[in-house]
Amino acid sequence: MSLLLLLLFSLSAVHASPLTRDTGMASLAMSTKINMAGVSDVVQMDLARVQSMVGTLTSSEPWAVNIPNKIFSYTAEIGVGTPPTYHTLVVDTGSSNTWIGASQPFVPTNFSVNTNNTVSVIYGSASLYGEEWLDTVTLTSSLVIGQQSIGIALVVANFLSADGVLGLGPIRLTNNTVQNTFQVPTVTDNLYTQGKIAQEVLGVFFAPVSEPDSNGKLTFGGYDSSAITSAVNYVPITTTFPASAYWGIDLSISYAGTTILPSTAGIVDTGTTLILLASDAYQAYQSLTGATLDPNNNLLMIDSAQYANLKPLSFNVGNTIYDLTPNAQIWPRSLNAAVGGNSSAIYLVFADLGWPSGSTGFDFLVGYGFLQRFYSVFDTTNQRVGFATTMYTDSTTN
């Protein structure tokens, strides 16, 4: 399972090239899972994910692509085989291998092919070792992929709450993960090459976990126009490594008119809970909000008066401003216990990456805290990422 967790008011008119939205496209529902027991240090889990993202990109070993999040996860029901057996998989744009078998056995059919290659994927402290099979994968009745590479788990460490991962990251993240194979075409790669979708584009819709209906939706081949309340604004994938290996973009961040992070590269990731900032940006944000660190869970904390005075946090993405409202900047108070917090406390959804901006090519990580408020579009065809407002952009349910 992947860490799937935690961020619009536009100051400029958005004129985006429309995607094909009436043909070659289909949507897949996602369900929210919340684990209220056994996990409290969400900051350390997110940082472990980041360390594995950054630390192995220059290694000849299989890429470490993150540690699964055990508080929130979004899952989808995916069919494997002919006829299909359905498996509950975590949706992750920060990794690219699709695999099953963590909790439910693989059922081969007459069309399943064992390639006799092994698969090895490292997720920080979690890991998968298994066999590669080629099989039919069913996302929806109209999105059926033939001969998709699937990892079948033989040994899984520290992986809970789902049967595997639906990897939706760039193909580069499959480098050296399968024996005798440099790269493995991803699910979205094969949907496109097999003519199932008109463009290699993924639209992702989340709702705040504090909403009565917090489920989400994946749209393959375009985006769901019914889920957005503005045009989609796009920016190109950054050229700065290592952010460029993922869904990486350039942006700047300001608070109440003060720039806390000048334009720099980072990653947009559905598998991360918090919003992670380079140390100087994090410290500036803490100073401007007056927040203090809770040593019990390593989250920033503010009191009621400070919350009343909290200002929007502005993300400048391609000359469009996306304001994270005060309510969007706080952890859902009904779930304070899940992070080992005081039930009456007000926590902020930010953490310190642990290095200064400009030192690693990776100065922020936009996780669920941002993505639950804005629709995101991951466009492989045009090598870009887009955002739009949704009905939850200004929600006050946290």
Side-chain angles (χ1 to χ4, degrees):
M1 84 192 105
S2 62
L3 259 70
L4 219 180
L5 250 120
L6 289 164
L7 223 71
L8 273 131
F9 166 71
S10 175
L11 295 184
S12 62
V14 179
H15 301 286
S17 301
L19 299 176
T20 302
R21 288 174 284 174
D22 54 353
T23 60
M25 187 178 76
S27 295
L28 174 65
M30 294 186 288
S31 299
T32 312
K33 290 191 174 184
I34 302 173
N35 178 14
M36 293 293 291
V39 179
S40 61
D41 203 336
V42 64
V43 173
Q44 290 305 313
M45 288 193 299
D46 276 359
L47 290 178
R49 177 178 175 91
V50 170
Q51 291 292 340
S52 64
M53 283 177 159
V54 175
T56 60
L57 293 184
T58 58
S59 171
S60 61
E61 297 301 316
W63 284 24
V65 289
N66 46 52
I67 179 173
N69 182 305
K70 300 178 180 66
I71 298 176
F72 301 96
S73 59
Y74 272 89
T75 62
E77 298 298 311
I78 307 300
V80 177
T82 308
T85 298
Y86 282 84
H87 300 257
T88 301
L89 304 186
V90 167
V91 173
D92 190 9
T93 61
S95 67
S96 300
N97 294 80
T98 293
W99 61 272
I100 63 174
S103 59
Q104 178 182 339
F106 169 55
V107 181
T109 65
N110 291 336
F111 299 95
S112 307
V113 177
N114 187 344
T115 67
N116 295 312
N117 292 326
T118 59
V119 180
S120 179
V121 184
I122 303 169
Y123 297 84
S125 66
S127 62
L128 157 76
Y129 177 80
E131 301 173 334
E132 182 198 34
W133 287 64
L134 302 179
D135 214 336
T136 303
V137 169
T138 300
L139 302 177
T140 70
S141 59
S142 62
L143 296 180
V144 180
I145 308 165
Q147 296 293 287
Q148 174 64 46
S149 172
I150 294 287
I152 307 301
L154 297 176
V155 179
V156 179
N158 299 325
F159 193 89
L160 305 172
S161 301
D163 191 49
V165 170
L166 178 63
L168 300 173
I171 190 173
R172 185 175 184 177
L173 299 181
T174 68
N175 285 10
N176 303 316
T177 57
V178 176
Q179 183 185 26
N180 299 318
T181 307
F182 176 56
Q183 289 183 334
V184 177
T186 68
V187 165
T188 50
D189 289 335
N190 280 332
L191 283 173
Y192 180 67
T193 57
Q194 294 178 22
K196 304 295 184 178
I197 55 178
Q199 299 182 78
E200 193 171 349
V201 175
L202 174 71
V204 180
F205 173 71
F206 292 137
V209 72
S210 51
E211 291 289 337
D213 181 3
S214 60
N215 292 326
K217 183 188 292 185
L218 296 175
T219 299
F220 294 90
Y223 62 86
D224 181 2
S225 60
S226 70
I228 61 178
T229 57
S230 75
V232 180
N233 178 54
Y234 296 95
V235 291
I237 298 297
T238 184
T239 58
T240 302
F241 186 83
S244 58
Y246 295 86
W247 290 112
I249 61 172
D250 297 316
L251 57 71
S252 63
I253 304 174
S254 62
Y255 180 85
T258 299
T259 298
I260 65 170
L261 186 66
S263 184
T264 189
I267 294 172
V268 182
D269 179 32
T270 64
T272 296
T273 303
L274 304 173
I275 300 167
L276 308 181
L277 302 174
S279 296
D280 46 323
Y282 173 84
Q283 291 162 9
Y285 176 73
Q286 180 180 3
S287 176
L288 289 165
T289 59
T292 58
L293 191 70
D294 185 339
N296 294 315
N297 57 19
N298 293 313
L299 288 172
L300 292 177
M301 182 171 57
I302 56 175
D303 60 29
S304 296
Q306 290 168 322
Y307 176 52
N309 290 319
L310 200 62
K311 304 297 190 294
L313 186 69
S314 300
F315 291 72
N316 188 336
V317 186
N319 295 319
T320 298
I321 305 298
Y322 299 103
D323 279 338
L324 199 62
T325 66
N327 188 262
Q329 294 174 53
I330 68 171
W331 182 263
R333 283 167 282 186
S334 62
L335 297 175
N336 280 358
V339 291
N342 186 300
S343 61
S344 61
I346 302 174
Y347 295 104
L348 299 171
V349 294
F350 299 87
D352 185 350
L353 278 171
W355 54 73
S357 60
S359 62
T360 64
F362 185 146
D363 291 337
F364 64 84
L365 199 154
V366 172
Y368 181 77
F370 182 91
L371 298 175
Q372 66 177 344
R373 302 297 180 135
F374 303 112
Y375 194 94
S376 52
V377 181
F378 302 91
D379 185 348
T380 299
T381 299
N382 297 296
Q383 286 294 286
R384 61 185 183 173
V385 174
F387 298 111
T389 59
T390 76
M391 63 182 292
Y392 296 116
T393 296
D394 298 320
S395 174
T396 59
T397 56
N398 281 348

